[in-house]
Amino acid sequence: MQNLTRLTDDQLVADFAQGENRAFDELLERHKLRVHNYILRIVKDADVADDVFQETFVKVIMTIKQGRYTADGKFGSWILRIAHNVVIDHFRREKAEALVST
């Protein structure tokens, strides 16, 4: 059993893509606080931040599993970009719902 804490993010992504789910657990542990705080700073609502956070990591999982992640040593930046896009999608949905309900 390998010590996952010693692996780089890109090594963990490669391991997860090969079916090693513990590798994703380590990635989540490494990045969850930074990503959640980033989302919370923008949306300013803990429940919304939790939902956006969950949606972000679902997109991360899907992208890696589909083989669309390109390892370039910048996993942390990549995941924050996904979080940012999910936040934008959230605000667009919110705006569309407000327009429909008026």
Side-chain angles (χ1 to χ4, degrees):
M1 187 170 273
Q2 193 172 358
N3 184 354
L4 298 178
T5 59
R6 294 179 182 211
L7 298 178
T8 66
D9 287 346
D10 286 341
Q11 289 170 319
L12 290 169
V13 168
D15 287 354
F16 177 62
Q18 296 300 315
E20 179 58 61
N21 290 335
R22 290 182 323 111
F24 186 80
D25 295 341
E26 178 64 26
L27 285 169
L28 178 61
E29 193 60 37
R30 286 183 188 181
H31 296 281
K32 68 181 178 184
L33 190 60
R34 180 172 168 221
V35 172
H36 193 272
N37 286 343
Y38 174 79
I39 294 166
L40 185 57
R41 254 192 332 270
I42 297 170
V43 301
K44 296 175 178 33
D45 179 303
D47 291 334
V48 171
D50 290 346
D51 290 345
V52 170
F53 176 83
Q54 187 171 4
E55 186 177 342
T56 297
F57 274 89
V58 166
K59 286 185 184 266
V60 167
I61 289 168
M62 289 173 41
T63 301
I64 293 170
K65 287 293 189 183
Q66 293 169 354
R68 294 186 298 132
Y69 173 74
T70 306
D72 60 4
K74 295 183 167 68
F75 180 81
S77 299
W78 176 74
I79 198 169
L80 284 178
R81 195 164 52 247
I82 290 176
H84 183 79
N85 290 339
V86 174
V87 166
I88 289 171
D89 291 345
H90 162 75
F91 284 128
R92 284 183 182 144
R93 280 191 305 270
E94 211 173 54
K95 184 176 181 182
E97 289 169 8
L99 290 174
V100 168
S101 66
T102 57

